[in-house]
């Protein structure tokens, strides 16, 4: 009887799932990455001549302008995936499906580990000027920062798959944008450091 009573008591205790909203620390980190990557990116594309913007070390390599265009196309796509995620039904298994993904994204994206083939939709066409890239980047970033600052949506319970990392939740898609941009800030630096890059 005692065992039955204990079992009855155990199953009557509510089981509380983890809070799917951003913690204050997570929000602060997302905003920090957004600001750091913004400064890096704008500094990387500032003051370039047309020749520097378009220079390529080889036909199959991207120019600074193409990397920068990829960044703005990718950020639009990443934020679209965040909006797609929170418009979907909550996933009750979100904790299991996305465990450890924050650490993986931080470890792989910004340090520029590994190689990845960009999806066709975010492959640059080489048609954007530096001024156009800057304007679009700043406009898009302002929207993302505003969202990151004010949202109280339980982002982590909404999932959209990523081609490389599998299931990512809404918070992951939020931090993907700045971390991915930081990755390509390093690529721009590599282009500039390549022999033959125009110095003026």
């Amino acid at each position: 009887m005692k065992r039955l009573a204990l079992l009855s008591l155990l199953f009557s205790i509510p089981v509380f799932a983890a809070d799917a909203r951003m913690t204050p620390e997570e929000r602060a980190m997302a905003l920090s990455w957004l600001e750091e990557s913004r400064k890096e990116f704008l500094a990387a594309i500032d003051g370039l001549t047309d020749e520097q913007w378009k220079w390529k070390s080889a036909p199959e390599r991207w120019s600074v302008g193409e990397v920068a265009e990829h960044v703005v196309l990718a950020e639009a796509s990443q934020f679209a995936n965040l909006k797609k995620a929170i418009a979907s039904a909550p996933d009750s298994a979100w904790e299991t499906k996305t465990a450890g993904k924050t650490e993986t994204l931080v470890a792989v994206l910004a340090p520029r580990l590994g190689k990845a083939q960009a999806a066709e939709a975010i492959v640059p066409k080489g048609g954007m000027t530096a001024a156009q890239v800057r304007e679009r980047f700043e406009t898009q970033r302002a929207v993302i920062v505003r969202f990151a600052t004010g949202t109280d949506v339980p982002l982590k319970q909404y999932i959209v798959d990523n081609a490389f990392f599998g299931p990512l939740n809404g918070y992951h898609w939020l931090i993907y944008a700045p971390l991915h941009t930081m990755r390509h800030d390093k690529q721009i630096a590599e282009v500039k450091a390549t022999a033959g890059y125009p110095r003026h």
Side-chain angles (χ1 to χ4, degrees), residues 167-190:
L168 296 181
N169 64 42
Y171 179 70
H172 296 143
W173 283 111
L174 176 62
I175 65 173
Y176 204 108
L179 293 175
H180 174 266
T181 294
M182 290 162 79
R183 177 185 185 88
H184 287 290
D185 292 340
K186 293 178 176 63
Q187 185 179 2
I188 290 174
E190 288 171 10

Side-chain angles (χ1 to χ4, degrees), residues 32-53:
S32 175
W33 281 324
L34 284 163
E35 180 58 19
E36 180 183 351
S37 60
R38 175 184 172 274
K39 288 179 178 177
E40 277 187 4
F41 181 71
L42 293 177
I45 67 170
D46 186 48
L48 300 184
T49 65
D50 192 56
E51 187 181 6
Q52 290 171 326
W53 184 253

Side-chain angles (χ1 to χ4, degrees), residues 96-107:
T96 302
K97 289 182 178 179
T98 63
K101 292 293 178 73
T102 300
E103 293 78 7
T104 298
L105 294 178
V106 172

Side-chain angles (χ1 to χ4, degrees), residues 49-58 62-64 188-200:
T49 65
D50 192 56
E51 187 181 6
Q52 290 171 326
W53 184 253
K54 295 178 178 178
W55 182 86
K56 300 169 75 160
S57 60
W62 285 358
S63 65
V64 170
I188 290 174
E190 288 171 10
V191 175
K192 291 179 176 181
T194 302
Y197 176 77
R199 293 303 156 196
H200 52 77

Side-chain angles (χ1 to χ4, degrees), residues 21-33 102 156 171 175:
R21 292 171 296 181
M22 281 190 285
T23 65
E25 293 77 18
E26 287 169 336
R27 191 189 303 272
M29 188 57 68
L31 290 169
S32 175
W33 281 324
T102 300
K156 299 175 197 171
Y171 179 70
I175 65 173

